[in-house]
Amino acid sequence: MVAAHGSHSASSGEWIACLDKRPLERSSEDVDIIFTRLKEVKAFEKFHPNLLQQICLCGYYENLEKGITLFRQGDIGTNWYAVLTGSLDVKVSDTSNHQDAVTICTLGIGTAFGESILDNTPRHATIVTREYSELLRIEQKDFKALWEKYRQYMSGLLTPPYGVMETGSNNDSKYEKLDIRWWTPLIDPHIPHHPTKTITQVPSEKILRAGKILRNTILSRAPHMIRDRKYHLKTYRQCCVGTELVDWMMQQSPCVHLRTQAVGMWQVLLEEGVLNHVDQEHHFQDKYLFYRFLDDEREDAPLPTEEEKKECDEELQDTMLLLSQIGPDAHMRMILRKPPGQRTVDDLEFIYEELLHIKALSHLSTTVSSIFISVFNQGEEGTSWYIILKGSVNVVIYGKGVVCTLHEGDDFGKLALVNDAPRAASIVLREDNCHFLRVDKEDFNRILRDVEANTVRLKEHDQDVLVLEKIPAGNRISNQGNSQPQHKYIVMSGTPEKILEHFLETMRLEATLSEATDSVLNDFIMMHCVFMPNSQLCPALMAQYPFPSQGTEQEKMDYALNNKRRVIRLVLQWAALYGDLLQEDEAAMAFLEEFYVSVSDDTRMIAALKEQLPELEKIVKQISEEPKASQKKHKVLLQLFNTSDDRAQKRQPIRGSDEVLFKVYCIDQTYTTIRVPVSSSVKEVISAVADKLGSGEGLIIVKMSSGGEKVVLKPHDVSVFTTLSVNGRLFACPRDQFDSLAPLPEQEGPSTGTVGTFELMSSKDLAHQMTVYDWELFNCVHELELIYHTFGRHNFKKTTANLDLFLRRFNEIQFWVVTEICLCSQLSKRVQLLKKYIKIAAHCKEYKNLNSFFAIIMGLSNVAVSRLSLTWERMIANTVRTVKFCRSQSFNPDAALTNKNHQDVRSYVRQLNVIDNQRTLSQMSHRLEPRRA
């Protein structure tokens, strides 16, 4: 079962209202709501929960219009900021006149700035809002208090998001005075292959703390690992062995699965000098080599106290998680610092796996990518090509400021190498932890030669219309039985017509229908709607079908036979993939009918075509069958596609031509019922509402959640009915009455739970029926809906109703869990509910229904449930045993068949009553268990 992840957080109005209160006025539920929202903000994603909780208590909300100066260069700071929405320009001037300031970068959502308040140094830049922006602000006294208390968590997290402009070797750069950290590139030209000490001169506080925790934990749990070692008559004081460190790391945390993962984690400590090789080697190895912690460099290194041991036990898992997250980058840096000749096969495989995700290299073949891995060596400054592996940079042109921003996977510097010209722009780092791959000019040219040597270009009127790349196809057995090395050409780019022509020419007629196309052709057929709609594809297919006009009669007949058979094969593949979705496309239906008539006529002259005619006739009739099409066209769906009559029936896919009977509410909370096709645009919905109301002048359609969050829908938006939240509704009102709209009472959800009915149902039956229903929803989703969803369904005027309902089911289950628990006033029954949900989740996992499994887990993790400490006490051990039991069981595909198919269970899981307003749920939670003093 495919898992669909979704969630619903407090509306922006709710959490801003909480944050807008003075800290002393905030209630515990206000803090819960702020905490839930801030966890989703990028600037805080790595913050420790305790630190984030304190920020919720002391932070302030601030919103600024476009063009507002937050502070000026040279000011003494009083606040620290994080960007919640919008963006701000960073401007620097080398004179006292602020009008001379040049924009060097832009701060976006998730960035934080203003750490200069820690030491009262002047602001190093002027910050101006680029657009309407929302900020979280912390005053200096509170920020300093947080820094003193949580220094180990904040160190390294709160660094300026802007960097130094690339100015070559000019040490007199006017931007040099910016008080910011220099970035450490992935390949630093100033670092020798065998440095005398560490790569980082001063370790960061968080890695220094990580090293202390690991050392003290080893001394506490396995003190024999740190001892004097002898090798070749020489004694090495207080050392560890590389293989033992890797073994120990893998035993401490479930997040460490592979030895290479542990190597990367130790490499983090080695890079920063917290762990050192006794012979000063700069990369960590899983071998019998000696390493020493920084604290053990001293002869009188202290042993951990009992209090320190306790602290280490509490912080060990957080430390392991931190190292596991940054370990892969350190591992890659370690490999890339090796000379190419010293890289092992495992090294190349590790880096190649990373390169697969880099956008700048996505067009290179496997062979060329392997060559690329072996040429990441040092090069001269100003003659290199760069690829961004991590972070982002601004491209700055003097006199114009920032012209664009490059992100992870983008590359720069090619133009200067190809044209042998000076750099056309400067590069400004937007954050202090950017990583790059760098290739010098000689190797860059060799890569280009290797690529071009395997590239075939077809030109028309001096323009590339088809680009093919030759790649190995493996060994293939010939008709004579001998194995011959084969190559094939894959399509890299081209015009749609030429790509289609190429696929037809290379199609293997001797293969079956399922073997006739390779994956690239399948992708073309699936994705053609993006770049070659049916209105363009169908005429192109017909153009490939006629008889040739030149050659002898026999030559024309042979050519026509092979060519027509290929076109027929492609049409069969296309029609089989799209199925009855083609009924909604008049151009496609007209083409199929015309094409079938043409093939039927041709069978009189070319008898060999008769073998394909029955298959073509069958699929054309199946698609264009009138009764079926008529029935689908007039199907009416009630109450958001989930009627009581429909619950007992197996779900059928929703098509854009199906009609929906839907309520649209007015500002006085009355409603009008409209009947329109599912794929209708908002403009058509407005027209239908206007017909019922008698007037539609100035009407807008608004999507409102149960928490009061309002979104005005655009006229070209289509299929809006299934995009609503679980308890969402559509409203129609004049634009000037938008602010007066309020949620309906019914949107609040149920006031009583269903525990009386729910507790009588078997956990296994519930999980089985949920799995059946989830599968029905998922099975209705056509692959094309993913394409429409990704590229914008309004561009195709198509519905994604089935995908929308499948995704919404995740939220429905999640809030069902929270709703039932928060509506249960008796503590003993809440405990039983928790047990039952855990059992249901275990059975869902057994059935491989990850959609419901994760939805239930997220429901139990919701702050309104997780804070119920009385409900969770004595439950933890039981939960662990249940999860352990679940993991130990193998999946039995026949298990579902043994369940009793109770109709009441089936109905219950298909129509869950939920409250999806996080504020309401938090209030109910606090009523059940008030915060303890």
Side-chain angles (χ1 to χ4, degrees):
M1 181 69 68
V2 175
H5 296 278
S7 63
H8 179 86
S9 60
S11 69
S12 59
E14 289 176 322
W15 85 273
I16 288 174
C18 298
L19 192 61
D20 218 16
K21 295 180 181 179
R22 304 293 298 177
L24 293 178
E25 298 173 355
R26 291 173 192 162
S27 65
S28 55
E29 61 186 82
D30 290 335
V31 175
D32 285 342
I33 290 174
I34 298 171
F35 183 87
T36 301
R37 176 64 177 87
L38 288 187
K39 283 197 304 184
E40 303 171 0
V41 178
K42 184 178 180 182
F44 303 112
E45 61 185 8
K46 296 182 180 179
F47 278 36
H48 191 278
N50 292 344
L51 171 59
L52 192 56
Q53 189 82 11
Q54 293 300 312
I55 290 176
C56 294
L57 290 171
C58 66
Y60 293 86
Y61 169 77
E62 190 162 328
N63 60 333
L64 301 171
E65 297 296 330
K66 177 181 178 181
I68 300 297
T69 299
L70 193 63
F71 53 75
R72 293 188 180 276
Q73 183 177 342
D75 291 349
I76 300 298
T78 57
N79 294 280
W80 175 85
Y81 300 90
V83 184
L84 303 178
T85 65
S87 58
L88 304 93
D89 286 333
V90 179
K91 298 186 175 185
V92 174
S93 172
D94 59 352
T95 69
S96 58
N97 190 346
H98 295 297
Q99 294 180 347
D100 297 335
V102 176
T103 300
I104 64 167
C105 68
T106 300
L107 308 179
I109 296 174
T111 54
F113 57 96
E115 291 87 330
S116 65
I117 61 175
L118 288 173
D119 52 11
N120 288 321
T121 55
R123 299 293 196 188
H124 308 293
T126 298
I127 305 294
V128 182
T129 53
R130 187 183 185 90
E131 57 187 314
Y132 174 80
S133 302
E134 295 176 292
L135 308 175
L136 177 78
R137 176 174 60 86
I138 298 180
E139 294 180 344
Q140 185 179 35
K141 59 180 178 59
D142 294 322
F143 189 76
K144 283 187 173 181
L146 290 177
W147 177 262
E148 292 302 322
K149 187 174 182 179
Y150 297 100
R151 182 188 298 261
Q152 69 271 29
Y153 299 131
M154 298 173 73
S155 178
L157 292 175
L158 304 179
T159 54
Y162 46 90
V164 176
M165 180 174 288
E166 181 185 79
T167 54
S169 58
N170 181 9
N171 294 327
D172 298 325
S173 168
K174 63 182 178 180
Y175 299 107
E176 187 178 344
K177 60 186 177 183
L178 288 180
D179 182 20
I180 56 180
R181 293 188 183 182
W182 275 89
W183 56 277
T184 303
L186 204 56
I187 301 179
D188 192 330
H190 303 295
I191 296 176
H193 291 309
H194 298 281
T196 57
K197 190 63 178 172
T198 60
I199 295 172
T200 303
Q201 297 299 320
V202 180
S204 65
E205 290 195 32
K206 64 178 180 179
I207 301 303
L208 198 61
R209 179 63 180 169
K212 182 177 287 292
I213 290 171
L214 294 180
R215 173 185 178 269
N216 289 347
T217 305
I218 290 175
L219 288 173
S220 175
R221 300 181 181 181
H224 64 279
M225 289 177 58
I226 302 178
R227 65 180 190 271
D228 293 350
R229 310 271 183 170
K230 286 188 177 181
Y231 187 73
H232 285 186
L233 304 179
K234 183 177 179 180
T235 300
Y236 297 88
R237 291 185 53 262
Q238 294 298 92
C239 293
C240 309
V241 174
T243 52
E244 293 180 3
L245 288 175
V246 171
D247 291 337
W248 181 85
M249 182 77 80
M250 295 186 68
Q251 295 168 4
Q252 303 309 307
S253 173
C255 68
V256 186
H257 308 288
L258 303 172
R259 299 188 72 84
T260 53
Q261 189 179 2
V263 167
M265 295 166 71
W266 286 116
Q267 178 65 26
V268 173
L269 302 181
L270 193 70
E271 282 188 345
E272 301 222 13
V274 178
L275 183 75
N276 294 305
H277 185 270
V278 294
D279 289 335
Q280 309 304 330
E281 291 289 339
H282 73 283
H283 56 272
F284 184 90
Q285 298 186 64
D286 184 9
K287 296 181 179 179
Y288 191 79
L289 299 175
F290 297 157
Y291 298 90
R292 183 183 296 119
F293 282 97
L294 182 61
D295 286 347
D296 291 318
E297 298 282 351
R298 299 161 45 189
E299 293 189 6
D300 58 343
L303 295 175
T305 64
E306 290 302 318
E307 183 178 353
E308 287 177 327
K309 289 180 181 179
K310 183 179 178 181
E311 289 178 353
C312 291
D313 286 340
E314 293 174 352
E315 296 182 36
L316 178 62
Q317 293 308 315
D318 286 342
T319 299
M320 299 291 282
L321 181 60
L322 168 68
L323 294 177
S324 68
Q325 291 172 341
I326 60 181
D329 286 346
H331 194 177
M332 186 157 65
R333 288 193 295 270
M334 176 186 75
I335 296 172
L336 292 177
R337 287 190 179 102
K338 294 181 183 179
Q342 294 182 13
R343 294 174 188 156
T344 66
V345 174
D346 290 339
D347 290 342
L348 296 182
E349 183 177 349
F350 181 88
I351 299 297
Y352 178 66
E353 291 296 326
E354 295 298 317
L355 292 184
L356 292 178
H357 306 292
I358 299 178
K359 182 169 62 176
L361 304 179
S362 60
H363 66 286
L364 297 180
S365 67
T366 303
T367 305
V368 176
S369 294
S370 299
I371 295 173
F372 188 79
I373 295 171
S374 66
V375 296
F376 293 147
N377 52 349
Q378 306 284 323
E380 295 182 0
E381 187 176 0
T383 59
S384 301
W385 172 40
Y386 295 89
I387 300 166
I388 304 174
L389 294 182
K390 183 179 180 182
S392 58
V393 300
N394 281 334
V395 179
V396 180
I397 297 179
Y398 183 75
K400 295 183 179 180
V402 178
V403 295
C404 69
T405 300
L406 303 178
H407 299 277
E408 185 175 306
D410 291 328
D411 65 303
F412 58 90
K414 269 191 306 193
L415 195 60
L417 298 184
V418 173
N419 297 334
D420 196 21
R423 299 291 190 198
S426 296
I427 301 297
V428 178
L429 303 179
R430 301 181 75 236
E431 41 202 301
D432 73 330
N433 192 25
C434 293
H435 294 166
F436 303 96
L437 291 179
R438 187 167 64 87
V439 182
D440 66 21
K441 185 173 183 177
E442 179 182 350
D443 291 316
F444 175 79
N445 290 334
R446 182 158 65 91
I447 291 172
L448 287 184
R449 288 195 301 270
D450 290 335
V451 172
E452 289 302 317
N454 292 291
T455 302
V456 175
R457 299 177 182 272
L458 177 63
K459 293 181 178 288
E460 291 183 358
H461 306 294
D462 294 326
Q463 298 291 326
D464 287 341
V465 294
L466 187 65
V467 179
L468 307 174
E469 183 185 1
K470 184 173 70 174
I471 64 171
N475 292 334
R476 184 178 174 187
I477 306 299
S478 65
N479 294 332
Q480 287 73 29
N482 57 331
S483 178
Q484 298 178 344
Q486 298 289 327
H487 291 82
K488 67 177 181 178
Y489 285 89
I490 62 171
V491 176
M492 300 297 292
S493 62
T495 63
E497 292 78 9
K498 283 298 176 183
I499 294 176
L500 175 63
E501 186 178 325
H502 170 76
F503 285 142
L504 288 171
E505 290 175 352
T506 56
M507 185 181 291
R508 293 166 47 209
L509 289 174
E510 71 276 9
T512 63
L513 181 60
S514 60
E515 299 173 339
T517 56
D518 58 22
S519 60
V520 180
L521 178 54
N522 280 325
D523 291 343
F524 175 84
I525 295 173
M526 174 61 71
M527 299 290 295
H528 79 81
C529 59
V530 177
F531 50 85
M532 193 180 193
N534 286 336
S535 58
Q536 185 179 352
L537 175 67
C538 294
L541 287 170
M542 287 301 297
Q544 295 290 330
Y545 190 76
F547 281 95
S549 58
Q550 297 179 348
T552 64
E553 287 301 318
Q554 187 59 42
E555 289 174 342
K556 289 192 288 187
M557 190 63 68
D558 292 341
Y559 179 86
L561 173 61
N562 289 331
N563 198 56
K564 288 177 181 291
R565 289 179 62 193
R566 291 189 179 99
V567 176
I568 294 171
R569 177 66 65 87
L570 184 58
V571 170
L572 289 172
Q573 188 86 3
W574 169 69
L577 179 65
Y578 279 73
D580 56 6
L581 290 179
L582 294 176
Q583 293 174 350
E584 302 175 9
D585 193 312
E586 295 181 0
M589 294 301 297
F591 162 74
L592 280 175
E593 294 174 2
E594 179 186 356
F595 186 75
Y596 174 69
V597 171
S598 298
V599 175
S600 300
D601 292 342
D602 288 343
T603 56
R604 302 189 188 100
M605 300 176 56
I606 309 176
L609 292 180
K610 288 184 178 179
E611 64 185 44
Q612 291 177 296
L613 188 60
E615 191 174 3
L616 180 63
E617 181 180 17
K618 177 183 177 182
I619 200 166
V620 170
K621 285 187 176 181
Q622 182 178 354
I623 292 175
S624 59
E625 186 179 5
E626 185 61 30
K628 183 176 180 180
S630 177
Q631 178 186 1
K632 282 186 173 292
K633 185 174 181 180
H634 294 96
K635 182 166 66 175
V636 177
L637 305 158
L638 303 173
Q639 297 178 359
L640 205 55
F641 318 99
N642 207 6
T643 67
S644 56
D645 295 335
D646 183 56
R647 283 181 224 155
Q649 305 298 324
K650 183 177 179 181
R651 293 195 69 90
Q652 298 296 324
I654 299 169
R655 301 301 180 209
S657 57
D658 294 341
E659 292 184 329
V660 56
L661 200 61
F662 203 81
K663 295 178 180 178
V664 179
Y665 293 85
C666 302
I667 194 167
D668 59 358
Q669 300 195 342
T670 60
Y671 65 85
T672 181
T673 304
I674 62 171
R675 178 171 174 169
V676 292
V678 173
S679 60
S680 296
S681 67
V682 169
K683 185 177 180 180
E684 292 169 327
V685 172
I686 291 176
S687 178
V689 171
D691 287 342
K692 288 293 186 74
L693 298 180
S695 173
E697 185 176 353
L699 276 183
I700 58 173
I701 298 295
V702 180
K703 182 166 60 174
M704 180 174 303
S705 70
S706 61
E709 188 173 13
K710 297 174 284 191
V711 177
V712 179
L713 299 176
K714 299 175 182 177
H716 65 267
D717 288 341
V718 297
S719 187
V720 297
F721 308 104
T722 50
T723 63
L724 297 174
S725 57
V726 179
N727 288 338
R729 297 291 185 269
L730 283 185
F731 284 76
C733 71
R735 186 172 294 276
D736 59 2
Q737 297 181 4
F738 171 78
D739 293 334
S740 301
L741 289 177
L744 303 168
E746 68 185 54
Q747 289 185 256
E748 295 179 2
S751 57
T752 58
T754 62
V755 65
T757 304
F758 180 57
E759 63 184 355
L760 299 178
M761 298 178 180
S762 158
S763 299
K764 197 164 189 176
D765 281 353
L766 284 162
H768 170 59
Q769 290 297 338
M770 291 170 74
T771 302
V772 170
Y773 187 47
D774 279 357
W775 175 253
E776 288 180 12
L777 289 172
F778 175 68
N779 201 37
C780 290
V781 179
H782 197 281
E783 301 91 316
L784 285 172
E785 292 190 56
L786 295 174
I787 298 174
Y788 301 151
H789 181 81
T790 302
F791 292 94
R793 55 190 169 192
H794 61 275
N795 294 320
F796 305 93
K797 297 183 179 178
K798 299 290 186 181
T799 182
T800 58
N802 301 290
L803 178 61
D804 294 336
L805 294 181
F806 180 63
L807 295 176
R808 195 178 63 174
R809 175 66 174 176
F810 186 91
N811 281 351
E812 185 179 37
I813 295 175
Q814 177 186 346
F815 284 111
W816 165 60
V817 173
V818 186
T819 299
E820 291 294 339
I821 292 176
C822 288
L823 286 174
C824 184
S825 58
Q826 296 182 10
L827 177 60
S828 59
K829 286 189 176 294
R830 285 204 305 277
V831 173
Q832 294 304 315
L833 272 178
L834 283 178
K835 292 180 179 179
K836 196 174 188 75
Y837 280 125
I838 292 170
K839 288 180 181 179
I840 294 172
H843 288 308
C844 286
K845 187 173 185 292
E846 180 184 355
Y847 296 147
K848 300 191 183 302
N849 180 1
L850 299 184
N851 192 61
S852 291
F853 171 78
F854 282 115
I856 294 173
I857 295 302
M858 289 191 68
L860 295 175
S861 301
N862 187 285
V863 67
V865 175
S866 61
R867 64 164 302 277
L868 297 174
S869 56
L870 292 178
T871 307
W872 283 102
E873 288 176 1
R874 302 175 312 283
M875 277 295 297
I876 298 301
N878 189 40
T879 301
V880 172
R881 286 194 298 272
T882 303
V883 174
K884 183 177 181 181
F885 169 79
C886 174
R887 293 180 63 190
S888 68
Q889 302 301 301
S890 58
F891 175 64
N892 180 5
D894 298 325
L897 301 179
T898 64
N899 286 284
K900 299 177 182 178
N901 190 14
H902 295 300
Q903 192 60 40
D904 54 348
V905 178
R906 181 185 178 92
S907 271
Y908 179 84
V909 300
R910 291 172 181 241
Q911 186 65 34
L912 303 175
N913 296 318
V914 305
I915 298 172
D916 64 346
N917 186 332
Q918 184 64 52
R919 186 182 185 88
T920 301
L921 292 170
S922 293
Q923 290 172 344
M924 294 166 61
S925 174
H926 280 276
R927 283 198 296 269
L928 293 174
E929 293 184 23
R931 184 183 294 275
R932 288 184 283 189

